[in-house]
Amino acid sequence: MRILLTGSAGFVGSHLTERLLADGHIVIGVDNYISGQPSNTALFEVHPNFKFIQADVSDGIPYKAATFDGQKLDYVLHFASPASPPHYQQFPIETLMVGAQGTQHALELAHAHGAPFLLASTSEVYGDPQVHPQTEDYWGHVNPNGLRSCYDEAKRYAEAITFAYHRHHGVDTRVIRIFNTYGPRMRPDDGRVVTNLIVQALAGQPLTVYGDGQQTRSFQYVTDLVDGIVALMSIKESEDVHAPVNLGNPDEYTILQFAQVIRELIDPTLEIIHEPLPADDPRQRRPDISRARELLGWAPGVDLHTGLMRTVESFRASRSAAPVSAERTPVAAE
Ligand code: NAD
Ligand code: UDP
């Protein structure tokens, strides 16, 4: 297939590109590097089936530029959006724009090519959930104008316009709701808990836990997510495929427990310190993945310890290889 992927230079985008190329597909990546890394594009630059367009998808995706050898697209995957809380709070307008205009441009492209469309949505559409674990039929509990609203409401709008294109234009649309995902190629300075704590631990610094650390998250290793995405892309269109699907690992940890796991893995002597809890920080999060199990026969296979070992090794390797800061856009420190 000829697949257009927005957000190809991001963490998830780079793993998805790697998998799609390995499966024999052509990938046309689009990214403006607002939160991504040129090094992720460089990984595939010489691959004959990879083409890269540096562009802001909120401004539009040129119909012609987005083809490979002038051929029609077979799939459009919309993954462009800052995803880490410090990132999207540093770029709130851009985050709203890419969820709104960016999603519409990607949908228009899919519609014009007669191609299926897949949206990377998020567990953040559930906000600070009052239903636990979160099932796809839960409508969420979102502050519409809080610090996280630029991301949460952008993704809720992105889901709404995706469904409008399906209902109104008949586009074959699919929506995944991704829960906290981690792995190699995350930006070390993205401010998320996995990267912060690994970077701190490798530098021998105290681990920062926000609040009392009793808030929970469920961490999914990136290759499990990619398996789920490929499974959803691969099934034939039917009424069942259009509804959102949670993709996440249901193993739930308090953030304090998570910090203790990192400490045991890297340096048991490290101190854990507490810093203020950011506003609207969801108190609990765990996916109900029954729908993904039934529809896709999918379940995550990489446990936290194994996934973290791989991630820590990759961070160790890149720390010793080269300084990583030169090519990056700044991220507000938490
Ligand atoms: P990321 O920041 O590493 O990747 C996002 C990519 O999109 C970056 O390369 C960025 O430069 C690009 N981008 C953003 N706005 C753009 C624009 N206007 N035009 C072109 N490119 C643009 O984040 P990620 O963790 O890889 O997340 C990828 C997608 O998955 C996002 O849509 C995110 O909302 C979703 N998601 C991720 C997680 C997670 O835990 N990683 C959880 C839920 C949802
Ligand atoms: N967090 C933390 N220490 C950090 C970074 C984050 O305790 O250095 C907490 C954060 O407050 C949240 C959880 O870890 O409760 C997950 O944060 P992250 O930014 O990774 O993603 P979120 O799930 O909040 O979008």
Side-chain angles (χ1 to χ4, degrees):
M1 292 193 288
R2 285 173 203 84
I3 301 170
L4 183 126
L5 169 62
T6 74
S8 62
F11 157 56
V12 174
S14 74
H15 286 274
L16 196 48
T17 300
E18 182 177 7
R19 169 66 182 273
L20 295 172
L21 290 174
D23 287 353
H25 301 299
I26 290 168
V27 177
I28 300 141
V30 188
D31 207 292
N32 68 350
Y33 296 125
I34 190 170
S35 58
Q37 309 181 79
S39 57
N40 286 339
T41 305
L43 289 171
F44 313 110
E45 238 161 26
V46 295
H47 197 293
N49 286 347
F50 182 69
K51 173 177 165 183
F52 181 71
I53 305 166
Q54 185 167 345
D56 184 335
V57 299
S58 302
D59 293 340
I61 311 173
Y63 183 93
K64 281 206 176 124
T67 59
F68 195 89
D69 294 340
Q71 309 268 10
K72 276 198 174 254
L73 296 171
D74 298 305
Y75 230 109
V76 175
L77 307 173
H78 184 45
F79 280 66
S81 170
S84 114
H87 251 143
Y88 61 67
Q89 288 168 30
Q90 184 184 0
F91 298 109
I93 315 280
E94 290 84 348
T95 301
L96 280 155
M97 298 269 288
V98 75
Q101 284 91 328
T103 304
Q104 185 167 14
H105 290 312
L107 279 160
E108 277 294 325
L109 195 67
H111 184 35
H113 284 248
F117 171 89
L118 186 144
L119 171 71
S121 184
T122 168
S123 54
E124 283 285 327
V125 300
Y126 303 122
D128 186 8
Q130 293 170 315
V131 165
H132 194 73
Q134 290 79 56
T135 46
E136 290 90 347
D137 57 4
Y138 176 49
W139 291 355
H141 180 231
V142 175
N143 179 343
N145 50 36
L147 281 176
R148 288 182 174 246
S149 61
C150 59
Y151 183 68
D152 299 9
E153 297 293 14
K155 290 289 186 179
R156 288 168 70 94
Y157 175 90
E159 288 200 13
I161 195 167
T162 298
F163 273 80
Y165 268 72
H166 170 60
R167 294 191 183 110
H168 193 69
H169 288 308
V171 178
D172 173 3
T173 57
R174 296 152 196 232
V175 175
I176 54 168
R177 291 184 179 151
I178 305 172
F179 284 64
N180 297 64
T181 303
Y182 69 98
R185 299 189 210 135
M186 294 178 86
R187 273 179 59 158
D189 62 350
D190 76 4
R192 293 186 255 203
V193 70
V194 175
T195 41
N196 272 9
L197 269 51
I198 291 177
V199 169
Q200 289 161 354
L202 290 177
Q205 293 167 353
L207 307 182
T208 53
V209 166
Y210 299 160
D212 60 8
Q214 292 309 305
Q215 69 274 32
T216 69
R217 294 294 186 275
S218 308
F219 297 97
Q220 162 174 245
Y221 190 66
V222 64
T223 52
D224 283 333
L225 171 63
V226 168
D227 286 345
I229 295 166
V230 169
L232 182 60
M233 287 175 70
S234 308
I235 54 173
K236 282 210 174 100
E237 188 177 11
S238 71
E239 268 319 298
D240 281 351
V241 304
H242 305 300
V245 188
N246 287 341
L247 291 179
N249 190 320
D251 284 347
E252 185 180 1
Y253 293 82
T254 68
I255 293 301
L256 190 56
Q257 286 171 332
F258 179 74
Q260 286 158 348
V261 172
I262 295 277
R263 181 165 68 174
E264 283 310 307
L265 205 62
I266 299 179
D267 179 354
T269 66
L270 289 173
E271 192 189 352
I272 293 177
I273 57 170
H274 291 265
E275 292 189 354
L277 187 68
D280 295 340
D281 201 286
R283 276 164 299 169
Q284 52 180 6
R285 183 180 291 156
R286 172 156 61 101
D288 181 315
I289 58 164
S290 313
R291 188 169 143 68
R293 281 186 198 278
E294 283 157 27
L295 183 70
L296 311 173
W298 173 91
V302 181
D303 63 71
L304 185 66
H305 192 264
T306 307
L308 281 178
M309 295 266 284
R310 292 179 194 165
T311 309
V312 169
E313 276 322 304
S314 79
F315 272 60
R316 274 209 178 99
S318 53
R319 264 166 64 89
S320 56
V324 285
S325 56
E327 65 189 23
R328 296 167 200 289
T329 49
V331 179
E334 273 291 275

